[in-house]
Amino acid sequence: MKYRNNNFFIENIKAEKIAKKYGTPSYCYSYSKLKNNILNFKKNFKILNPLICFAVKSNPNLYLLKEIKKFGLGADVVSIGELMRALKAGIKPKKIVFSGVGKTEEEIRYAINKKILLINTESESEIKEIEKISKSMSKTIDIGIRLNPNTDAKTLSQISTGKKENKFGIDEKQFLNLVKYIKNSKNLNLKCLSVHIGSQILNHKPYEKMLKVLERVIKKSNFQFEFIDLGGGMGIDYDGSNQKLNLKKYSNAIQKFIKNHNSKIIFEPGRSIIGDTGIMLSKVNYIKKSSRKDFIILDAAMNDLMRPALYNAKHRILPLNKTKQKSKKNYEFVGPICESTDKFLNTNKFQKLNEKDYIIICDVGAYGMSLSSNYNMRPKASEILVNGSKIKIISKRQKLKDLI
Ligand code: LLP
């Protein structure tokens, strides 16, 4: 995805062509970028021969899941809906792990019936519930326990999950007691220790700390885990500063750790696979002038892309066609929704925009469409995949009539 002669291209397609033909706001993904990300991830961790379970929550588009599956990836799911989607995409049950703090009886039964690889449990109550259900079905179920390693992931507090004040996982003491309990259970088979300390992690150090905790806990548990599921969280470069997680360093740390254990590594990456494959195309509907700044009122809003409103996350915005004329005013890019947090970015460095111009919001492939809603009764945007010179609508723009 880059400019050619000042026009933004997604692979061989001029983005303007897509905006004009298919309308805005639209999510637009690059197939080659997706392929490169998967191959790069695999290359960096090759020596570990891990099972890579794509975190479906980051982008559950069925067509994309089918493409991801073709590279041999499995799925990390957190609801019956995601599990059904993953299965519909053709992902083999034995490559699916089920995470989440509040799985219902219906979800547990469904997962058991589908014979997925692992249910990663997050509380004593959940473990007892799974035991009860599997007993009633006369089965023995493979499970993991998610450890809360009390490790600071040094990321946004809203997407941090590995500290003791977070609802996720089970603390060391309880973990060790539960290992003992499960050892004696007829209907539970403990196979995995899982962990996930947070998302958008840019430095490998928190992961190193987490591995040290794992080392200690595994030793104390005196248990041979068939799988160690290290979760996801690998951060990407949102601000163009080239700061992203060094996968090689993380891989080296895991190699050192795994030497002492005869376990298979599982990863659950979402953002690092799909995040920078997608952009959002949007049109400037109005420019509202005010004394300090101009409001650039887009046709995309917080319902289409929640991250800025929810986490104050910054996504770069670029013009679709570059000109040399600089804006003299500060711009605030906003949506039309009746909320003050419905804004994307403030900038004093942008080219002069006119009404009806198009812009691009960058790196929205992960937690973009998946967090979208119909707030303000706005139909969901379309999703488009570009592969070389081919354009494919992979999710149609929601019709107003279906919404009303
Ligand atoms: N595994 C588990 C158990 C998770 O909870 C998550 C993300 C992942 C894997 C995938 O993490 P990733 O590789 O994508 O960082 N909506 C937020 C992110 C929330 C992440 C939730 N869990 C955002 O837009 O930044």
Short mmCIF file of all heavy atoms in Angstrom, two decimals, residues 65 70 73 79 129 161 184 239 256 279 287 379 398 400-401:
data_model
loop_
_atom_site.label_atom_id
_atom_site.label_comp_id
_atom_site.label_asym_id
_atom_site.label_seq_id
_atom_site.Cartn_x
_atom_site.Cartn_y
_atom_site.Cartn_z
N LEU A 65 -10.75 -15.30 7.14
CA LEU A 65 -10.43 -16.50 7.93
C LEU A 65 -10.10 -17.68 7.01
O LEU A 65 -9.18 -18.44 7.28
CB LEU A 65 -11.60 -16.88 8.85
CG LEU A 65 -11.90 -15.97 10.04
CD1 LEU A 65 -13.07 -16.52 10.84
CD2 LEU A 65 -10.67 -15.83 10.94
N LYS A 70 -5.69 -21.18 4.97
CA LYS A 70 -4.89 -21.82 3.91
C LYS A 70 -3.40 -21.84 4.24
O LYS A 70 -2.65 -22.62 3.68
CB LYS A 70 -5.11 -21.08 2.58
CG LYS A 70 -6.48 -21.34 1.97
CD LYS A 70 -6.59 -20.67 0.62
CE LYS A 70 -8.05 -20.65 0.16
NZ LYS A 70 -8.30 -19.60 -0.85
N LEU A 73 -2.95 -21.89 9.66
CA LEU A 73 -3.21 -21.35 11.00
C LEU A 73 -4.50 -21.93 11.58
O LEU A 73 -5.44 -22.26 10.85
CB LEU A 73 -3.33 -19.82 10.95
CG LEU A 73 -2.01 -19.06 11.14
CD1 LEU A 73 -1.03 -19.37 10.04
CD2 LEU A 73 -2.26 -17.55 11.21
N SER A 79 -15.94 -17.04 21.91
CA SER A 79 -17.40 -17.17 22.04
C SER A 79 -17.86 -18.25 21.08
O SER A 79 -17.12 -18.64 20.17
CB SER A 79 -18.09 -15.85 21.67
OG SER A 79 -17.94 -15.62 20.28
N GLU A 129 -17.35 -26.29 36.47
CA GLU A 129 -18.48 -26.34 35.53
C GLU A 129 -18.15 -27.27 34.35
O GLU A 129 -18.96 -28.12 33.97
CB GLU A 129 -18.79 -24.91 35.03
CG GLU A 129 -19.87 -24.79 33.97
CD GLU A 129 -21.30 -24.95 34.51
OE1 GLU A 129 -21.45 -25.23 35.71
OE2 GLU A 129 -22.25 -24.81 33.70
N THR A 161 -3.71 -7.18 30.34
CA THR A 161 -4.50 -8.28 30.91
C THR A 161 -3.74 -9.15 31.90
O THR A 161 -4.31 -10.07 32.47
CB THR A 161 -5.01 -9.21 29.78
OG1 THR A 161 -3.88 -9.59 28.98
CG2 THR A 161 -6.04 -8.55 28.91
N ASN A 184 -6.38 -35.20 39.74
CA ASN A 184 -7.22 -36.26 40.30
C ASN A 184 -8.62 -36.33 39.69
O ASN A 184 -9.47 -37.06 40.17
CB ASN A 184 -7.37 -36.05 41.82
CG ASN A 184 -6.04 -36.18 42.50
OD1 ASN A 184 -5.25 -37.06 42.16
ND2 ASN A 184 -5.76 -35.29 43.44
N ASP A 239 2.36 4.43 14.47
CA ASP A 239 2.65 5.85 14.26
C ASP A 239 3.71 6.12 13.20
O ASP A 239 4.14 7.25 13.01
CB ASP A 239 3.02 6.53 15.59
CG ASP A 239 4.28 5.92 16.20
OD1 ASP A 239 4.91 5.08 15.55
OD2 ASP A 239 4.63 6.32 17.33
N LYS A 256 15.10 -20.17 24.70
CA LYS A 256 15.84 -20.43 25.95
C LYS A 256 14.92 -21.10 26.96
O LYS A 256 15.28 -22.06 27.63
CB LYS A 256 16.33 -19.10 26.54
CG LYS A 256 17.71 -18.75 26.10
CD LYS A 256 18.25 -17.60 26.96
CE LYS A 256 19.15 -16.72 26.11
NZ LYS A 256 19.08 -15.32 26.50
N ILE A 279 -6.94 -0.61 5.61
CA ILE A 279 -7.14 0.84 5.74
C ILE A 279 -8.63 1.12 5.65
O ILE A 279 -9.40 0.27 5.20
CB ILE A 279 -6.44 1.64 4.60
CG1 ILE A 279 -6.91 1.12 3.23
CG2 ILE A 279 -4.94 1.58 4.70
CD1 ILE A 279 -6.98 2.18 2.19
N ILE A 287 -16.38 20.66 5.82
CA ILE A 287 -15.29 21.27 6.59
C ILE A 287 -15.91 22.43 7.35
O ILE A 287 -16.50 23.34 6.76
CB ILE A 287 -14.14 21.74 5.68
CG1 ILE A 287 -13.56 20.52 4.94
CG2 ILE A 287 -13.08 22.47 6.50
CD1 ILE A 287 -12.39 20.80 4.03
N PRO A 379 -25.49 2.02 9.17
CA PRO A 379 -25.19 0.70 8.60
C PRO A 379 -23.68 0.41 8.66
O PRO A 379 -22.88 1.35 8.57
CB PRO A 379 -25.63 0.82 7.14
CG PRO A 379 -26.37 2.09 7.02
CD PRO A 379 -26.00 2.97 8.16
N GLN A 398 -23.87 -2.87 4.87
CA GLN A 398 -25.18 -3.22 5.41
C GLN A 398 -26.24 -2.31 4.76
O GLN A 398 -26.00 -1.12 4.56
CB GLN A 398 -25.16 -2.99 6.92
CG GLN A 398 -26.16 -3.81 7.65
CD GLN A 398 -25.97 -3.66 9.17
OE1 GLN A 398 -25.31 -2.73 9.64
NE2 GLN A 398 -26.54 -4.57 9.91
N LEU A 400 -29.70 -0.25 4.58
CA LEU A 400 -30.56 0.45 5.56
C LEU A 400 -31.81 -0.35 5.84
O LEU A 400 -32.27 -0.45 6.98
CB LEU A 400 -30.93 1.83 5.03
CG LEU A 400 -30.02 2.97 5.48
CD1 LEU A 400 -30.36 4.25 4.77
CD2 LEU A 400 -30.09 3.15 7.00
N LYS A 401 -32.35 -0.99 4.80
CA LYS A 401 -33.60 -1.71 5.01
C LYS A 401 -33.43 -2.89 5.99
O LYS A 401 -34.34 -3.20 6.75
CB LYS A 401 -34.24 -2.15 3.69
CG LYS A 401 -33.61 -3.30 2.96
CD LYS A 401 -34.51 -3.70 1.81
CE LYS A 401 -34.05 -4.79 0.91
NZ LYS A 401 -33.04 -5.72 1.24
#
